Amino acid sequence: MSGGPDDLARKVLQPGQCAGCGLCLDLCPYLQVVEEKVVMIHPCGLKEGDCYRVCPRTPTDWEDMDRSVFGAARADHVLGHHREILFARATAPEIAAAGQYGGVVSALIAFALGRGEVRGAVLTAGAPGEMPRPALAENPEEALACAGSKYSAAPSLRALHEAARRGLEPVAVVGRPCQVLAVRKLQRARGLEAHHLAGRKVAWVTGLFCFWALDPAFYAFLRAKTGDARILRVDFSPDSLLVHTDRGLLSEPVDKVRGFVRPACRECFDPTSEFADVAVGSTEYDEAWNTLVVRSERGEALLRAAREAGVIEVKPYPPERLPLLRTAVLNKKLRTLEAQAARGESSHLQLSEGYRRALTGRDQP
Ligand SMILES: Cc1cc2nc3c(=O)[nH]c(=O)nc-3n(C[C@H](O)[C@H](O)[C@H](O)COP(=O)(O)OP(=O)(O)OC[C@H]3O[C@@H](n4cnc5c(N)ncnc54)[C@H](O)[C@@H]3O)c2cc1C
């Protein structure tokens, strides 16, 4: 489905549905970002635009995307395509220590950069508790400097433009699920070669699990709570915000931050990066390990090479935990279907009735 900047403004930006992925920025001088809010500073008047085509919040045929990324329809309507679901962690102590959990993301990126399989990696940099920024890492040390989750919607895909401008290719991308989808839309958009960007220069995409990102006002909230203390790490357990500082651990009920959740995230259908080559999340109970979902052949090949090189170790995903993951993801999808049904024609999700039935077990959400 095609559209232009006016449609983007009307359907995505004005109703607060922008995911803040950052891909449209630098495609057009009229799109700017201020504190993680994308704004259109002038209507360009085009009827069709690349900004609309690559946006993860413009209409997206989910099943078509499955076919174009994985070459087949999905068998698992909750978790998407997956070849394996594992627990995994980085073996190098310095990566495991720097990583948010097991450091799998940083280890894979550092490994790929170190072996010269990619020349750059699109990442997200920033000190814990401060507004993050897009980063383009060119070596393992720079990748490691980006370790750690920053819980707001950094427009990190801007770094993809920087890579293209500098002729740095191929690149790896690490992103939230919305960013993964934006990259996939870019990869299949025809005619974008006119721009300096071309999605085929992306060698592989590592997606994060992400149930929501927070508005940057969260950082002011954090600062008010921590005062002069230096923030060392920010984390979330299912019930709490956990802030590690040089003066000790501060904990707040997670309900205190729910008000900062970005409105667009309340209508996100994909908390586990379904279109990534590999998707990485927490285990929800052992912070030394990650959940690792191997989705594509490319992802499988990357993991195999990383395991053979001794960079990553894995163990089986505990079968008793799988229903917990499935339920959390399904509930998120059902909440989104309800919210999108209320939104009506401006819904970005295009799902067949068969797909909805497979997910919900009934005809309508
Ligand atoms: C906003 C957000 C919400 C999340 N919510 C969940 C959740 O609900 N459940 C869950 O299981 N996991 C969630 N995660 C993922 C989790 O926090 C870890 O990022 C993931 O498990 C990888 O861990 P690691 O130890 O391999 O990461 P590391 O090795 O520390 O690597 C982290 C990577 O994430 C990238 N990154 C950091 N912040 C951002 C950002 N804001 N946007 C894009 N990329 C970023 C960095 O570039 C780095 O490469 C979330 C992450 C983010 C950023």
Side-chain angles (χ1 to χ4, degrees):
M1 197 175 288
S2 60
D6 286 352
D7 302 292
L8 186 80
R10 191 165 43 81
K11 293 183 189 170
V12 179
L13 302 181
Q14 286 156 11
Q17 287 303 304
C18 170
C21 74
L23 190 55
C24 66
L25 303 166
D26 299 336
L27 277 178
C28 163
Y30 297 144
L31 287 164
Q32 300 286 330
V33 65
V34 184
E35 299 214 328
E36 299 186 352
K37 186 175 166 58
V38 175
V39 289
M40 193 173 288
I41 57 172
H42 193 272
C44 81
L46 288 176
K47 288 278 172 282
E48 293 201 4
D50 292 335
C51 58
Y52 189 88
R53 282 203 288 169
V54 301
C55 174
R57 288 313 184 93
T58 55
T60 306
D61 183 329
W62 222 251
E63 288 150 286
D64 203 29
M65 193 53 80
D66 267 335
R67 281 189 295 271
S68 92
V69 176
F70 301 104
R74 66 175 62 190
D76 184 334
H77 287 77
V78 176
L79 297 180
H81 279 268
H82 53 84
R83 290 162 176 253
E84 263 186 308
I85 302 181
L86 299 161
F87 273 7
R89 68 178 175 189
T91 53
E94 70 279 11
I95 302 186
Q100 185 69 17
Y101 299 115
V104 166
V105 172
S106 298
L108 288 176
I109 295 296
F111 173 67
L113 283 166
R115 293 214 330 179
E117 297 202 7
V118 290
R119 292 184 60 215
V122 170
L123 302 176
T124 302
E130 287 175 22
M131 190 134 68
R133 58 183 190 283
L136 182 60
E138 292 183 54
N139 55 53
E141 295 71 32
E142 288 175 2
L144 200 49
C146 292
S149 301
K150 295 89 186 173
Y151 287 97
S152 65
S156 18
L157 294 185
R158 277 200 114 160
L160 194 53
H161 295 266
E162 191 192 333
R165 271 194 300 271
R166 289 172 43 198
L168 215 59
E169 63 179 64
V171 291
V173 174
V174 173
R176 306 181 301 279
C178 48
Q179 297 180 305
V180 172
L181 179 56
V183 171
R184 294 309 190 196
K185 285 181 131 182
L186 172 73
Q187 284 181 312
R188 59 188 231 159
R190 279 185 290 273
L192 265 179
E193 280 73 11
H195 281 284
H196 54 277
L197 269 187
R200 64 190 142 74
K201 293 173 184 164
V202 176
W204 67 78
V205 186
T206 299
L208 305 175
F209 284 17
C210 176
F211 281 71
W212 39 249
L214 301 173
D215 185 272
F218 168 66
Y219 298 117
F221 166 85
L222 263 187
R223 192 36 70 202
K225 293 281 171 200
T226 52
D228 292 336
R230 196 159 70 87
I231 298 175
L232 305 173
R233 180 169 187 261
V234 178
D235 191 18
F236 285 91
S237 73
D239 309 321
S240 308
L241 160 68
L242 304 168
V243 189
H244 301 257
T245 76
D246 61 353
R247 298 193 195 156
L249 175 67
L250 193 141
S251 165
E252 291 281 333
V254 78
D255 285 343
K256 290 242 176 105
V257 303
R258 286 200 200 281
F260 296 115
V261 171
R262 226 177 140 89
C265 302
R266 299 186 194 279
E267 295 188 32
C268 166
F269 192 64
D270 174 15
T272 62
S273 286
E274 292 176 4
F275 301 114
D277 293 301
V278 295
V280 188
S282 70
T283 63
E284 296 261 306
Y285 76 99
D286 183 350
E287 60 179 45
W289 291 83
N290 288 107
T291 295
L292 172 63
V293 184
V294 184
R295 298 193 180 281
S296 73
E297 209 176 316
R298 280 179 184 212
E300 194 170 54
L302 172 65
L303 178 63
R304 193 182 314 116
R307 287 179 66 183
E308 279 167 13
V311 166
I312 298 279
E313 64 177 308
V314 304
K315 62 181 182 180
Y317 193 85
E320 70 279 7
R321 300 216 48 102
L322 202 53
L324 302 176
L325 178 63
R326 297 186 71 82
T327 302
V329 174
L330 178 61
N331 286 344
K332 172 82 174 143
K333 284 179 180 288
L334 295 180
R335 286 196 297 276
T336 291
L337 286 181
E338 275 167 22
Q340 293 266 300
R343 183 173 288 284
E345 60 168 311
S346 58
S347 165
H348 70 275
L349 268 179
Q350 297 184 317
L351 299 175
S352 69
E353 265 314 308
Y355 190 108
R356 282 171 197 267
R357 252 196 318 276
L359 195 63
T360 63
R362 49 202 160 99
D363 286 340
Q364 291 296 318

